Amino acid sequence: MHDVIVVGARCAGAATALLLARQGHKVLIIDQDRFPSDMRLSTHLVWHAGADLLQKWGLLDAVRASLCPTLTEFSLDLGELVLKGTPPNAQVGAAFAPKRIVLDQILLDAAVAAGAELREGVLFDDVLRDGERVVGITAKNSDGSVMTEQARWVVGADGRHSRVARSVGSTAYHEFPKEAGSLNTFAYFSGVPLKGVEFISRPQRMAYAWGTNDDQVLSGIILPGTSPRVARQDTEAHFFAAMEAMSPDLAARLRAGKREEDWISTGVSTFCRHPVGPGWSLVGDAGLTVDPITAAGITNALRDADLLAELLHQGLSGQGDLEETVAAYAPRRDAVSVPLHLFSQDMARLAPPTDEVIQLFTSLAHNQAQADRYFGVFGQTVSPTDFFSPENLQKIANSEQSAAVSA
Ligand SMILES: Cc1cc2nc3c(=O)[nH]c(=O)nc-3n(C[C@H](O)[C@H](O)[C@H](O)COP(=O)(O)OP(=O)(O)OC[C@H]3O[C@@H](n4cnc5c(N)ncnc54)[C@H](O)[C@@H]3O)c2cc1C
């Protein structure tokens, strides 16, 4: 009998297992993969709020030791102007983009070191129930034998196609099809000098570049999800034509470098899933998949893990009724994550800027504190609800007017 079974051993699952095991709970973590295992379907950016959590858990030094660059400069090239800023309210004051074979392994090693039991090559099949309550799982070992394990709680950290979510019948809300989101085409490059984290935004398209492990750079273009798909052999020409049109400078630096891996081109459907029920909960993409345009998923996953582990610890250690205590996970997760999900979805439309948006960015160019707060929305240290509140937008407009008067 385990206290908790966690299905999925990447950033959401390994972090949840780590935090619970450190509190002395008996944790089993399973994954169909074997580790170390890479995961290329991600551009790896862990924003400021995520870096602060890694620091709090004592794992940021291991990320740094992997020679993953410390990302402290952020720019957004809007054509007419370039905004620069640093998210406020951050302790570490930096973002990182470790390859997943690095980050997931650091979290998993720490979970195992804390006492979690890891079983690899194990495919979750279904939950076990006692009446309405989930009390364990069945899974298939790699030799085809069936594994049955019981637990006081089951956590689904098995990604956006979560079979745990399906087994427990979690309902989805704030759902968007992939055509309503962004289409991201990216690759790793070497030999490319960067000016920090570079974002380039133009109507109906974006581009980006930042550093990752192995002295490599991740760079991509983002188009609306309705854009026609490009044949594999044409991807390189398509990428450079779009990049050239947005930033001849970044295009030239990328051309002078070397592409190190195949192109990845993908869009995802997004959603929130109800993340908790009797004996179960969902963390990371299993419970909330956000459009990749804001590179928010890993930071979300780490924050979910932190919150869920705290509530599970309280419930498991008898500080309150287990189910009632963990039920608080849903509203607390949504208070932070839903505004970011909806902001990401809106941004993924890549709509041409309205006059108000142009005015906002013009004002931000003269207001560094608020430009920093805008970058904080991405760094997840400032809520989009606060930044885009009528009061804050009015404050930004007023500061622009008083600057114009004094000039
Ligand atoms: C194009 C793209 C770019 C992105 N870029 C970024 C970015 O720059 N920054 C960022 O923060 N996020 C980014 N994301 C999102 C990020 O990749 C996800 O949010 C993150 O991987 C979620 O982590 P997770 O641990 O919840 O799930 P996953 O990383 O999906 O891991 C789930 C694990 O569960 C295991 N599993 C699944 N089913 C089973 C089963 N039945 N039995 C056993 N094991 C199972 C899998 O093997 C896997 O190891 C991007 C996503 C995409 C698509």
Side-chain angles (χ1 to χ4, degrees), residues 1-7 28 30 124-139 147-156 164 167-168 278-280:
M1 177 77 168
H2 307 274
D3 289 325
V4 179
I5 296 173
V6 180
V7 180
L28 170 65
I30 68 159
F124 167 83
D125 186 31
D126 205 350
V127 291
L128 297 172
R129 290 178 190 273
D130 180 2
E132 287 295 292
R133 199 169 192 288
V134 169
V135 294
I137 64 162
T138 59
M147 182 187 102
T148 301
E149 292 288 343
Q150 303 210 328
R152 294 175 69 192
W153 205 268
V154 172
V155 175
V164 176
S167 297
V168 297
W280 62 269

Side-chain angles (χ1 to χ4, degrees), residues 7-14 30-33 35 37 39-47 100 104 122-125 157-164 184 186 208 210 264 266-268 283-286 288 290 292 294-301:
V7 180
R10 290 193 182 274
C11 52
I30 68 159
D31 202 295
Q32 63 191 356
D33 278 358
F35 292 86
S37 161
M39 206 276 231
R40 286 199 50 226
L41 200 64
S42 166
T43 49
H44 312 327
L45 200 55
V46 180
W47 284 100
R100 296 295 293 275
D104 295 342
V122 176
L123 182 69
F124 167 83
D125 186 31
D158 50 340
R160 63 200 158 96
H161 301 296
S162 174
R163 192 153 173 170
V164 176
N184 200 324
F186 62 98
Y208 60 84
W210 50 77
I264 291 183
T266 187
V268 294
V283 278
D285 273 18
L288 169 78
V290 173
T294 48
I298 300 168
T299 302
N300 279 343

Side-chain angles (χ1 to χ4, degrees), residues 28-282:
L28 170 65
I29 181 163
I30 68 159
D31 202 295
Q32 63 191 356
D33 278 358
R34 293 189 180 278
F35 292 86
S37 161
D38 208 359
M39 206 276 231
R40 286 199 50 226
L41 200 64
S42 166
T43 49
H44 312 327
L45 200 55
V46 180
W47 284 100
H48 295 61
D52 282 358
L53 285 171
L54 292 170
Q55 170 90 333
K56 176 172 130 184
W57 303 337
L59 302 178
L60 197 61
D61 283 348
V63 173
R64 291 185 201 274
S66 75
L67 303 184
C68 180
T70 303
L71 305 171
T72 53
E73 288 176 38
F74 302 84
S75 63
L76 173 62
D77 173 343
L78 294 151
E80 306 287 303
L81 54 93
V82 179
L83 284 185
K84 294 190 178 189
T86 308
N89 318 320
Q91 280 150 25
V92 175
F96 296 82
K99 289 187 176 176
R100 296 295 293 275
I101 196 166
V102 172
L103 178 68
D104 295 342
Q105 195 61 38
I106 288 170
L107 289 161
L108 198 50
D109 284 345
V112 171
E117 180 191 352
L118 170 66
R119 293 190 203 161
E120 302 166 87
V122 176
L123 182 69
F124 167 83
D125 186 31
D126 205 350
V127 291
L128 297 172
R129 290 178 190 273
D130 180 2
E132 287 295 292
R133 199 169 192 288
V134 169
V135 294
I137 64 162
T138 59
K140 273 196 194 70
N141 294 310
S142 50
D143 63 4
S145 61
V146 173
M147 182 187 102
T148 301
E149 292 288 343
Q150 303 210 328
R152 294 175 69 192
W153 205 268
V154 172
V155 175
D158 50 340
R160 63 200 158 96
H161 301 296
S162 174
R163 192 153 173 170
V164 176
R166 234 179 309 145
S167 297
V168 297
S170 162
T171 47
Y173 49 102
H174 294 310
E175 286 180 278
F176 299 91
K178 85 173 155 185
E179 294 71 27
S182 62
L183 174 65
N184 200 324
T185 301
F186 62 98
Y188 295 112
F189 295 82
S190 60
V192 178
L194 284 188
K195 303 161 186 167
V197 172
E198 301 183 36
F199 292 102
I200 296 131
S201 178
R202 300 288 182 270
Q204 299 282 280
R205 54 198 57 215
M206 280 191 75
Y208 60 84
W210 50 77
T212 183
N213 293 98
D214 306 321
D215 285 327
Q216 291 178 2
V217 159
L218 266 161
S219 183
I221 55 167
I222 304 178
L223 301 175
T226 47
S227 308
R229 295 299 189 265
V230 172
R232 197 159 191 80
Q233 68 274 14
D234 299 333
T235 305
E236 177 125 350
H238 168 75
F239 172 89
F240 276 107
M243 186 62 92
E244 193 87 46
M246 282 185 267
S247 172
D249 168 43
L250 180 54
R253 281 179 280 146
L254 290 165
R255 276 192 204 279
K258 176 171 176 264
R259 181 164 57 79
E260 294 289 347
E261 302 266 2
D262 274 353
W263 293 102
I264 291 183
S265 191
T266 187
V268 294
S269 54
T270 67
F271 50 80
C272 297
R273 289 194 184 115
H274 188 67
V276 61
W280 62 269
S281 40
L282 304 173

